[in-house]
Amino acid sequence: MLKNLSPLLSGALLSALDAMNDGDTLTLVGSGYPEQEITTPIVHLGEDVTTEAAAEAILSVLPLDSFDPSPIVFLDLGDEPYDVPDVAFAVNGIASDAELRRVPMTRLELAPFVELARRSAVTVRVGSDAPPCAFLLRRGSL
């Protein structure tokens, strides 16, 4: 284990993050996300890891794109346009804290989300989320 690094940042995950280029996207998905839709390399963080814990670990080392007006996209499966899932609020707060700025998010429905997710550099899968949730995180530069 490395000092001051989350234990969720495994060698496989750190290697995948290091291989990403500026502008590349990481897809973070929970257990409800359809496995057949994942076409990129997958790093599993474990069945007991939450999306929030994974986001906190990833965003502690991954800079978000500051030129993209919305470097985070979340999958919206709800019927209410003004109803944002708690996990989306949490990930947005984690990102804003990590970036020391407000980080805007965009919501997409399943089809356009999956289209973007298929072009991700890597997919990080967690297992403890009951509702389907997924995020796209666009890497920036330091």
Side-chain angles (χ1 to χ4, degrees):
M1 176 183 273
L2 298 172
K3 186 176 177 180
N4 296 325
L5 276 181
S6 168
L8 296 179
L9 295 172
S10 65
L13 180 53
L14 286 171
S15 178
L17 295 174
D18 185 49
M20 290 177 67
N21 296 310
D22 295 348
D24 283 352
T25 303
L26 175 144
T27 303
L28 174 60
V29 300
S31 61
Y33 191 80
E35 184 86 27
Q36 71 275 11
E37 299 296 347
I38 300 174
T39 59
T40 62
I42 301 173
V43 176
H44 289 275
L45 292 187
E47 293 302 314
D48 59 337
V49 177
T50 66
T51 300
E52 294 91 334
E56 189 167 13
I58 291 165
L59 292 170
S60 72
V61 296
L62 180 77
L64 290 176
D65 192 339
S66 59
F67 297 107
D68 187 332
S70 186
I72 301 176
V73 175
F74 74 94
L75 174 61
D76 183 17
L77 295 176
D79 294 330
E80 293 293 325
Y82 301 106
D83 186 24
V84 177
D86 291 342
V87 67
F89 275 118
V91 168
N92 187 247
I94 291 164
S96 295
D97 289 348
E99 292 289 309
L100 302 175
R101 65 181 172 95
R102 184 179 172 279
V103 178
M105 287 193 322
T106 301
R107 61 173 65 203
L108 287 178
E109 293 180 357
L110 184 60
F113 185 93
V114 167
E115 184 177 324
L116 290 174
R118 287 183 175 154
R119 294 184 290 213
S120 289
V122 64
T123 298
V124 177
R125 189 170 185 87
V126 299
S128 66
D129 296 302
C133 68
F135 296 88
L136 300 171
L137 308 173
R138 184 173 306 282
R139 179 190 162 134
S141 61
L142 290 175

mmCIF file of all heavy atoms in Angstrom, residues 4-39:
data_model
loop_
_atom_site.group_PDB
_atom_site.id
_atom_site.type_symbol
_atom_site.label_atom_id
_atom_site.label_comp_id
_atom_site.label_asym_id
_atom_site.label_seq_id
_atom_site.Cartn_x
_atom_site.Cartn_y
_atom_site.Cartn_z
ATOM 1 N N ASN A 4 -0.960 7.619 1.855
ATOM 2 C CA ASN A 4 -1.946 8.639 1.498
ATOM 3 C C ASN A 4 -2.738 8.330 0.232
ATOM 4 O O ASN A 4 -3.318 9.232 -0.362
ATOM 5 C CB ASN A 4 -1.302 10.023 1.384
ATOM 6 C CG ASN A 4 -0.742 10.503 2.694
ATOM 7 O OD1 ASN A 4 -1.302 10.220 3.754
ATOM 8 N ND2 ASN A 4 0.368 11.205 2.635
ATOM 9 N N LEU A 5 -2.745 7.088 -0.205
ATOM 10 C CA LEU A 5 -3.576 6.683 -1.336
ATOM 11 C C LEU A 5 -4.695 5.793 -0.831
ATOM 12 O O LEU A 5 -4.483 4.954 0.040
ATOM 13 C CB LEU A 5 -2.770 5.906 -2.375
ATOM 14 C CG LEU A 5 -1.996 6.696 -3.405
ATOM 15 C CD1 LEU A 5 -1.290 5.757 -4.362
ATOM 16 C CD2 LEU A 5 -2.862 7.655 -4.172
ATOM 17 N N SER A 6 -5.858 5.964 -1.414
ATOM 18 C CA SER A 6 -6.982 5.105 -1.063
ATOM 19 C C SER A 6 -6.641 3.651 -1.384
ATOM 20 O O SER A 6 -6.069 3.364 -2.433
ATOM 21 C CB SER A 6 -8.212 5.527 -1.859
ATOM 22 O OG SER A 6 -9.220 4.551 -1.753
ATOM 23 N N PRO A 7 -7.020 2.729 -0.513
ATOM 24 C CA PRO A 7 -6.787 1.313 -0.824
ATOM 25 C C PRO A 7 -7.613 0.841 -2.028
ATOM 26 O O PRO A 7 -7.347 -0.220 -2.581
ATOM 27 C CB PRO A 7 -7.200 0.591 0.453
ATOM 28 C CG PRO A 7 -7.998 1.561 1.233
ATOM 29 C CD PRO A 7 -7.595 2.928 0.805
ATOM 30 N N LEU A 8 -8.597 1.630 -2.459
ATOM 31 C CA LEU A 8 -9.367 1.273 -3.650
ATOM 32 C C LEU A 8 -8.569 1.486 -4.932
ATOM 33 O O LEU A 8 -8.909 0.964 -5.978
ATOM 34 C CB LEU A 8 -10.664 2.087 -3.717
ATOM 35 C CG LEU A 8 -11.660 1.843 -2.598
ATOM 36 C CD1 LEU A 8 -12.891 2.724 -2.783
ATOM 37 C CD2 LEU A 8 -12.055 0.376 -2.535
ATOM 38 N N LEU A 9 -7.495 2.261 -4.837
ATOM 39 C CA LEU A 9 -6.664 2.525 -6.012
ATOM 40 C C LEU A 9 -5.674 1.375 -6.193
ATOM 41 O O LEU A 9 -4.512 1.470 -5.843
ATOM 42 C CB LEU A 9 -5.944 3.863 -5.865
ATOM 43 C CG LEU A 9 -6.859 5.085 -5.844
ATOM 44 C CD1 LEU A 9 -6.066 6.342 -5.504
ATOM 45 C CD2 LEU A 9 -7.582 5.246 -7.175
ATOM 46 N N SER A 10 -6.175 0.309 -6.764
ATOM 47 C CA SER A 10 -5.359 -0.879 -7.000
ATOM 48 C C SER A 10 -4.349 -0.608 -8.106
ATOM 49 O O SER A 10 -4.432 0.391 -8.826
ATOM 50 C CB SER A 10 -6.264 -2.041 -7.421
ATOM 51 O OG SER A 10 -6.869 -1.748 -8.676
ATOM 52 N N GLY A 11 -3.416 -1.519 -8.251
ATOM 53 C CA GLY A 11 -2.438 -1.397 -9.324
ATOM 54 C C GLY A 11 -3.106 -1.349 -10.686
ATOM 55 O O GLY A 11 -2.714 -0.557 -11.551
ATOM 56 N N ALA A 12 -4.126 -2.183 -10.877
ATOM 57 C CA ALA A 12 -4.837 -2.206 -12.162
ATOM 58 C C ALA A 12 -5.533 -0.876 -12.431
ATOM 59 O O ALA A 12 -5.487 -0.359 -13.556
ATOM 60 C CB ALA A 12 -5.850 -3.347 -12.177
ATOM 61 N N LEU A 13 -6.151 -0.314 -11.401
ATOM 62 C CA LEU A 13 -6.850 0.958 -11.585
ATOM 63 C C LEU A 13 -5.852 2.093 -11.808
ATOM 64 O O LEU A 13 -6.028 2.916 -12.709
ATOM 65 C CB LEU A 13 -7.755 1.263 -10.391
ATOM 66 C CG LEU A 13 -8.544 2.565 -10.468
ATOM 67 C CD1 LEU A 13 -9.331 2.674 -11.765
ATOM 68 C CD2 LEU A 13 -9.458 2.696 -9.263
ATOM 69 N N LEU A 14 -4.794 2.140 -11.023
ATOM 70 C CA LEU A 14 -3.787 3.183 -11.213
ATOM 71 C C LEU A 14 -3.149 3.095 -12.598
ATOM 72 O O LEU A 14 -2.902 4.110 -13.245
ATOM 73 C CB LEU A 14 -2.718 3.111 -10.126
ATOM 74 C CG LEU A 14 -3.140 3.608 -8.750
ATOM 75 C CD1 LEU A 14 -2.079 3.277 -7.713
ATOM 76 C CD2 LEU A 14 -3.433 5.100 -8.768
ATOM 77 N N SER A 15 -2.900 1.892 -13.064
ATOM 78 C CA SER A 15 -2.335 1.706 -14.397
ATOM 79 C C SER A 15 -3.301 2.214 -15.468
ATOM 80 O O SER A 15 -2.890 2.889 -16.422
ATOM 81 C CB SER A 15 -2.019 0.231 -14.620
ATOM 82 O OG SER A 15 -1.523 0.029 -15.911
ATOM 83 N N ALA A 16 -4.580 1.898 -15.307
ATOM 84 C CA ALA A 16 -5.588 2.359 -16.271
ATOM 85 C C ALA A 16 -5.700 3.877 -16.256
ATOM 86 O O ALA A 16 -5.797 4.511 -17.317
ATOM 87 C CB ALA A 16 -6.938 1.719 -15.957
ATOM 88 N N LEU A 17 -5.673 4.479 -15.076
ATOM 89 C CA LEU A 17 -5.743 5.936 -14.972
ATOM 90 C C LEU A 17 -4.512 6.589 -15.592
ATOM 91 O O LEU A 17 -4.610 7.611 -16.277
ATOM 92 C CB LEU A 17 -5.902 6.368 -13.509
ATOM 93 C CG LEU A 17 -7.198 5.952 -12.815
ATOM 94 C CD1 LEU A 17 -7.144 6.318 -11.333
ATOM 95 C CD2 LEU A 17 -8.404 6.566 -13.489
ATOM 96 N N ASP A 18 -3.351 6.000 -15.364
ATOM 97 C CA ASP A 18 -2.110 6.533 -15.899
ATOM 98 C C ASP A 18 -2.079 6.447 -17.426
ATOM 99 O O ASP A 18 -1.502 7.312 -18.092
ATOM 100 C CB ASP A 18 -0.914 5.784 -15.303
ATOM 101 C CG ASP A 18 0.407 6.383 -15.724
ATOM 102 O OD1 ASP A 18 0.564 7.615 -15.607
ATOM 103 O OD2 ASP A 18 1.281 5.618 -16.175
ATOM 104 N N ALA A 19 -2.694 5.428 -17.992
ATOM 105 C CA ALA A 19 -2.700 5.243 -19.444
ATOM 106 C C ALA A 19 -3.668 6.190 -20.154
ATOM 107 O O ALA A 19 -3.581 6.358 -21.371
ATOM 108 C CB ALA A 19 -3.053 3.795 -19.782
ATOM 109 N N MET A 20 -4.569 6.806 -19.404
ATOM 110 C CA MET A 20 -5.535 7.720 -20.015
ATOM 111 C C MET A 20 -4.840 9.001 -20.478
ATOM 112 O O MET A 20 -3.910 9.480 -19.839
ATOM 113 C CB MET A 20 -6.641 8.082 -19.016
ATOM 114 C CG MET A 20 -7.576 6.956 -18.700
ATOM 115 S SD MET A 20 -8.809 7.422 -17.442
ATOM 116 C CE MET A 20 -9.775 8.643 -18.332
ATOM 117 N N ASN A 21 -5.298 9.527 -21.584
ATOM 118 C CA ASN A 21 -4.807 10.800 -22.103
ATOM 119 C C ASN A 21 -5.782 11.910 -21.731
ATOM 120 O O ASN A 21 -6.947 11.647 -21.422
ATOM 121 C CB ASN A 21 -4.679 10.741 -23.631
ATOM 122 C CG ASN A 21 -3.654 9.733 -24.068
ATOM 123 O OD1 ASN A 21 -2.531 9.722 -23.568
ATOM 124 N ND2 ASN A 21 -4.022 8.866 -25.003
ATOM 125 N N ASP A 22 -5.320 13.146 -21.806
ATOM 126 C CA ASP A 22 -6.215 14.275 -21.576
ATOM 127 C C ASP A 22 -7.389 14.183 -22.546
ATOM 128 O O ASP A 22 -7.193 13.922 -23.739
ATOM 129 C CB ASP A 22 -5.482 15.599 -21.790
ATOM 130 C CG ASP A 22 -4.372 15.819 -20.769
ATOM 131 O OD1 ASP A 22 -4.315 15.069 -19.784
ATOM 132 O OD2 ASP A 22 -3.575 16.743 -20.980
ATOM 133 N N GLY A 23 -8.587 14.367 -22.040
ATOM 134 C CA GLY A 23 -9.793 14.282 -22.864
ATOM 135 C C GLY A 23 -10.414 12.910 -22.907
ATOM 136 O O GLY A 23 -11.552 12.755 -23.357
ATOM 137 N N ASP A 24 -9.689 11.873 -22.453
ATOM 138 C CA ASP A 24 -10.258 10.523 -22.387
ATOM 139 C C ASP A 24 -11.321 10.464 -21.293
ATOM 140 O O ASP A 24 -11.311 11.259 -20.357
ATOM 141 C CB ASP A 24 -9.183 9.478 -22.080
ATOM 142 C CG ASP A 24 -8.325 9.127 -23.271
ATOM 143 O OD1 ASP A 24 -8.643 9.568 -24.396
ATOM 144 O OD2 ASP A 24 -7.313 8.413 -23.082
ATOM 145 N N THR A 25 -12.190 9.489 -21.411
ATOM 146 C CA THR A 25 -13.288 9.341 -20.466
ATOM 147 C C THR A 25 -13.179 8.030 -19.711
ATOM 148 O O THR A 25 -12.830 6.991 -20.280
ATOM 149 C CB THR A 25 -14.636 9.385 -21.214
ATOM 150 O OG1 THR A 25 -14.712 10.611 -21.930
ATOM 151 C CG2 THR A 25 -15.807 9.295 -20.269
ATOM 152 N N LEU A 26 -13.489 8.079 -18.436
ATOM 153 C CA LEU A 26 -13.609 6.904 -17.577
ATOM 154 C C LEU A 26 -15.093 6.721 -17.294
ATOM 155 O O LEU A 26 -15.800 7.693 -17.010
ATOM 156 C CB LEU A 26 -12.853 7.142 -16.269
ATOM 157 C CG LEU A 26 -12.961 6.059 -15.189
ATOM 158 C CD1 LEU A 26 -11.641 5.942 -14.453
ATOM 159 C CD2 LEU A 26 -14.066 6.372 -14.197
ATOM 160 N N THR A 27 -15.575 5.493 -17.383
ATOM 161 C CA THR A 27 -16.962 5.199 -17.050
ATOM 162 C C THR A 27 -16.986 4.509 -15.692
ATOM 163 O O THR A 27 -16.273 3.527 -15.486
ATOM 164 C CB THR A 27 -17.612 4.285 -18.111
ATOM 165 O OG1 THR A 27 -17.520 4.919 -19.391
ATOM 166 C CG2 THR A 27 -19.072 4.032 -17.791
ATOM 167 N N LEU A 28 -17.787 5.036 -14.784
ATOM 168 C CA LEU A 28 -17.964 4.468 -13.445
ATOM 169 C C LEU A 28 -19.381 3.937 -13.364
ATOM 170 O O LEU A 28 -20.335 4.698 -13.537
ATOM 171 C CB LEU A 28 -17.719 5.548 -12.388
ATOM 172 C CG LEU A 28 -17.988 5.178 -10.925
ATOM 173 C CD1 LEU A 28 -17.112 4.014 -10.483
ATOM 174 C CD2 LEU A 28 -17.755 6.401 -10.041
ATOM 175 N N VAL A 29 -19.518 2.625 -13.154
ATOM 176 C CA VAL A 29 -20.852 2.015 -13.162
ATOM 177 C C VAL A 29 -21.093 1.212 -11.892
ATOM 178 O O VAL A 29 -20.171 0.661 -11.306
ATOM 179 C CB VAL A 29 -21.067 1.106 -14.397
ATOM 180 C CG1 VAL A 29 -20.921 1.890 -15.686
ATOM 181 C CG2 VAL A 29 -20.131 -0.082 -14.400
ATOM 182 N N GLY A 30 -22.367 1.149 -11.511
ATOM 183 C CA GLY A 30 -22.797 0.342 -10.391
ATOM 184 C C GLY A 30 -23.302 -1.007 -10.856
ATOM 185 O O GLY A 30 -23.306 -1.318 -12.050
ATOM 186 N N SER A 31 -23.754 -1.796 -9.916
ATOM 187 C CA SER A 31 -24.151 -3.173 -10.204
ATOM 188 C C SER A 31 -25.354 -3.262 -11.130
ATOM 189 O O SER A 31 -25.537 -4.263 -11.806
ATOM 190 C CB SER A 31 -24.450 -3.912 -8.903
ATOM 191 O OG SER A 31 -25.510 -3.272 -8.224
ATOM 192 N N GLY A 32 -26.182 -2.233 -11.197
ATOM 193 C CA GLY A 32 -27.372 -2.290 -12.042
ATOM 194 C C GLY A 32 -27.123 -1.958 -13.495
ATOM 195 O O GLY A 32 -28.009 -2.097 -14.327
ATOM 196 N N TYR A 33 -25.917 -1.528 -13.831
ATOM 197 C CA TYR A 33 -25.610 -1.165 -15.213
ATOM 198 C C TYR A 33 -25.509 -2.439 -16.048
ATOM 199 O O TYR A 33 -24.875 -3.410 -15.638
ATOM 200 C CB TYR A 33 -24.299 -0.383 -15.276
ATOM 201 C CG TYR A 33 -24.023 0.254 -16.609
ATOM 202 C CD1 TYR A 33 -24.629 1.450 -16.961
ATOM 203 C CD2 TYR A 33 -23.150 -0.332 -17.511
ATOM 204 C CE1 TYR A 33 -24.371 2.049 -18.181
ATOM 205 C CE2 TYR A 33 -22.883 0.259 -18.733
ATOM 206 C CZ TYR A 33 -23.499 1.452 -19.066
ATOM 207 O OH TYR A 33 -23.234 2.038 -20.286
ATOM 208 N N PRO A 34 -26.119 -2.463 -17.229
ATOM 209 C CA PRO A 34 -26.111 -3.693 -18.044
ATOM 210 C C PRO A 34 -24.708 -4.112 -18.487
ATOM 211 O O PRO A 34 -24.042 -3.388 -19.210
ATOM 212 C CB PRO A 34 -26.978 -3.336 -19.250
ATOM 213 C CG PRO A 34 -27.410 -1.936 -19.097
ATOM 214 C CD PRO A 34 -26.844 -1.371 -17.849
ATOM 215 N N GLU A 35 -24.279 -5.264 -18.019
ATOM 216 C CA GLU A 35 -22.927 -5.782 -18.308
ATOM 217 C C GLU A 35 -22.679 -5.902 -19.814
ATOM 218 O O GLU A 35 -21.580 -5.651 -20.288
ATOM 219 C CB GLU A 35 -22.761 -7.152 -17.639
ATOM 220 C CG GLU A 35 -21.395 -7.755 -17.772
ATOM 221 C CD GLU A 35 -20.427 -7.303 -16.687
ATOM 222 O OE1 GLU A 35 -20.857 -6.955 -15.595
ATOM 223 O OE2 GLU A 35 -19.223 -7.326 -16.970
ATOM 224 N N GLN A 36 -23.704 -6.280 -20.578
ATOM 225 C CA GLN A 36 -23.536 -6.463 -22.020
ATOM 226 C C GLN A 36 -23.248 -5.157 -22.750
ATOM 227 O O GLN A 36 -22.785 -5.166 -23.882
ATOM 228 C CB GLN A 36 -24.751 -7.163 -22.630
ATOM 229 C CG GLN A 36 -26.009 -6.324 -22.686
ATOM 230 C CD GLN A 36 -26.830 -6.352 -21.412
ATOM 231 O OE1 GLN A 36 -26.389 -6.834 -20.379
ATOM 232 N NE2 GLN A 36 -28.039 -5.834 -21.486
ATOM 233 N N GLU A 37 -23.476 -4.012 -22.106
ATOM 234 C CA GLU A 37 -23.213 -2.716 -22.727
ATOM 235 C C GLU A 37 -21.766 -2.256 -22.545
ATOM 236 O O GLU A 37 -21.356 -1.266 -23.125
ATOM 237 C CB GLU A 37 -24.160 -1.651 -22.167
ATOM 238 C CG GLU A 37 -25.629 -1.922 -22.419
ATOM 239 C CD GLU A 37 -26.013 -1.913 -23.894
ATOM 240 O OE1 GLU A 37 -25.219 -1.468 -24.740
ATOM 241 O OE2 GLU A 37 -27.111 -2.399 -24.209
ATOM 242 N N ILE A 38 -20.997 -2.967 -21.731
ATOM 243 C CA ILE A 38 -19.619 -2.564 -21.466
ATOM 244 C C ILE A 38 -18.699 -3.172 -22.518
ATOM 245 O O ILE A 38 -18.623 -4.386 -22.645
ATOM 246 C CB ILE A 38 -19.185 -2.987 -20.048
ATOM 247 C CG1 ILE A 38 -20.096 -2.338 -19.008
ATOM 248 C CG2 ILE A 38 -17.721 -2.613 -19.803
ATOM 249 C CD1 ILE A 38 -19.846 -2.813 -17.591
ATOM 250 N N THR A 39 -18.026 -2.311 -23.260
ATOM 251 C CA THR A 39 -17.145 -2.791 -24.332
ATOM 252 C C THR A 39 -15.686 -2.398 -24.097
ATOM 253 O O THR A 39 -14.838 -2.689 -24.926
ATOM 254 C CB THR A 39 -17.603 -2.223 -25.689
ATOM 255 O OG1 THR A 39 -17.578 -0.792 -25.622
ATOM 256 C CG2 THR A 39 -19.012 -2.696 -26.046
#
